[in-house]
Amino acid sequence: MKLVLATALVAGLLPPAAAPPSHVEGVLPSGAAYVMDVPRNWNRTALLYSHGYTADGAPNPAQNAPSAAVRTAALDRGYALIGSSYAETGWAVEHALPDQLSTVDEFAKRFGKPRRTIAWGASLGGMITTGLAERHGHRFDGALAMCGVQAGAVASWNSTLDAVFAVRTLLTTSTVPLVDLPDRATALASAAELVPALDAAQATARGRARIALASALHNIPAWTTASSPEPAPDDYDTAQRNQYEQLHNIVHTGLSGRQEAETRAGGNMSWNTGVDYSRLLARSAIRPEVEALYARAGLSLAEDLATLAGAPRISADQGAVAYMTRNLTFTGRPRTPLLTIHTTGDAPVPVQGQRAYADAVRDAGHEKSLRQAFVHRGGHCAFTTGEMMAALAALEERVDTGRWPDTGPNALNAAAARLDPGATHAYRVYRPAPHPRPFDLAR
């Protein structure tokens, strides 16, 4: 009996044998799918991944990592990876937060409560991650929002409206609807009028100048894809061509994506009543390009701004604004340590949104909870595996020690090089220009 008891006591002091790796898929009560991966050497930290925007009706599998390479890197380092599909596609923020929390609960039932749970996500998922940090921060030890919609829903949809409004006003005589789109067919019909006008304008110096102005109202950057070289600071021709190509996508998002979001919100959530587009241009990061191209084309920028000022304005449905404020506009009060990373050349989600969020955090008095880092590269969510893993490691150090480590570019690039030695990493000191039309709940 003594031998048996001694053996049992010794066994209780020894670490448990490594469990076999587990891969679990299932469906939550909401109908959202979930996926979980637990490695053999689980370090007792669970990473909850929130994925980006999935077009309405598109395939919607559960996701638990931003890429296959990151999944492998994270599993190799012992993290458990979990995530859901969300119950619906499109602007699914209303469903995403509860579905993600339910995924955390389901994981705990199956594998036990983790020692640490960290939320992370990309694009719309970065926005959802920030929402989890603000609204459910007590459930998480930290949060990493990557290329997130940090300006919030209302500001982001307003910014999209500004660019599309400028395209319609300056490049066409059309009156096609830009808001209050009752169905997808109406949205596509509007796009079918605006896109050819955009293409025709690109063929003339005057048209290119006006495209640059429309791009400036959305802050479409000069460098927009990771696969192309960065334009020189005064290479306005290349910058404008890049912006023209991206403006195609903004027009489609601003119409077809808006129609789906309006259906959820119960009306139009955007407005430009009372907006001074001269002031917005003055705040834009690409104002010098616009002024140079207008001068080269022999076109009056003042007259075009006056045309925008005199065009019939668009009012919002306040019920729809309230819906988008709930789903999701920020308070600037993250309740858990939050690190955000963003590329400087992000066209769909311009980097100025990070400035909007930082300003909201400052106004709310929560600066100690937030750190931001910037990768100098064109493209949306165009991070290397090392850049993402280095950010995660910095966040973990904050969780472990209660103090933020060095999150400057030298420290993050060095960590990224150790974690992903085969890639070129590009964290850089950067301060975004102000967001043209911030809208948050901290004021």
Side-chain angles (χ1 to χ4, degrees), residues 41-85:
N41 60 331
W42 183 27
N43 62 14
R44 308 303 298 180
T45 295
L47 305 180
L48 174 72
Y49 180 69
S50 296
H51 69 75
Y53 184 86
T54 300
D56 193 31
N60 189 32
Q63 300 177 46
N64 64 0
S67 69
V70 173
R71 179 183 295 106
T72 298
L75 290 172
D76 286 348
R77 287 165 176 78
Y79 297 104
L81 305 180
I82 62 178
S84 78
S85 64

Side-chain angles (χ1 to χ4, degrees), residues 24-303:
V24 176
E25 298 183 17
V27 178
L28 298 170
S30 68
Y34 63 80
V35 59
M36 303 173 181
D37 286 292
V38 181
R40 185 182 301 277
N41 60 331
W42 183 27
N43 62 14
R44 308 303 298 180
T45 295
L47 305 180
L48 174 72
Y49 180 69
S50 296
H51 69 75
Y53 184 86
T54 300
D56 193 31
N60 189 32
Q63 300 177 46
N64 64 0
S67 69
V70 173
R71 179 183 295 106
T72 298
L75 290 172
D76 286 348
R77 287 165 176 78
Y79 297 104
L81 305 180
I82 62 178
S84 78
S85 64
Y86 323 144
E88 296 183 7
T89 52
W91 193 264
V93 178
E94 180 179 11
H95 302 284
L97 270 68
D99 285 339
Q100 291 294 77
L101 295 174
S102 294
T103 301
V104 172
D105 293 338
E106 184 65 28
F107 179 83
K109 290 178 188 176
R110 288 177 173 271
F111 298 100
K113 185 176 180 180
R115 181 168 59 90
R116 288 183 302 201
T117 303
I118 292 174
W120 66 334
S123 193
L124 186 69
M127 179 189 204
I128 291 162
T129 297
T130 304
L132 291 170
E134 287 201 354
R135 299 184 179 186
H136 305 282
H138 64 286
R139 299 282 305 269
F140 300 94
D141 297 280
L144 171 60
M146 303 180 288
C147 49
V149 188
Q150 296 301 118
V154 173
S156 296
W157 282 113
N158 273 345
S159 183
T160 301
L161 174 64
D162 290 332
V164 180
F165 179 80
V167 168
R168 187 185 70 175
T169 302
L170 298 177
L171 304 183
T172 79
T173 58
S174 175
T175 58
V176 294
L178 305 182
V179 300
D180 293 318
L181 303 162
D183 49 45
R184 182 170 172 78
T186 302
L188 293 177
S190 291
E193 284 205 35
L194 297 187
V195 169
L198 189 63
D199 293 338
Q202 184 64 14
T204 70
R206 294 165 67 90
R208 290 191 291 273
R210 286 170 169 152
I211 288 172
L213 174 54
S215 300
L217 299 180
H218 189 68
N219 270 313
I220 300 176
W223 190 19
T224 56
T225 60
S227 59
S228 62
E230 180 183 13
D234 59 351
D235 184 1
Y236 296 140
D237 291 330
T238 300
Q240 190 278 334
R241 184 170 62 252
N242 292 342
Q243 291 152 357
Y244 152 70
E245 292 170 354
Q246 293 297 322
L247 198 53
H248 268 259
N249 299 328
I250 301 299
V251 167
H252 279 288
T253 300
L255 294 168
S256 62
R258 174 181 293 280
Q259 186 275 323
E260 186 273 334
E262 284 185 348
T263 299
R264 290 180 183 276
N268 168 40
M269 59 282 191
S270 301
W271 69 92
N272 64 359
T273 50
V275 172
D276 181 346
Y277 283 113
S278 296
R279 184 170 180 269
L280 261 60
L281 177 62
R283 293 165 63 90
S284 175
I286 64 169
R287 177 178 57 84
E289 173 197 329
V290 175
E291 293 173 342
L293 292 179
Y294 265 81
R296 187 192 302 174
L299 191 60
S300 170
L301 178 57
E303 288 182 7

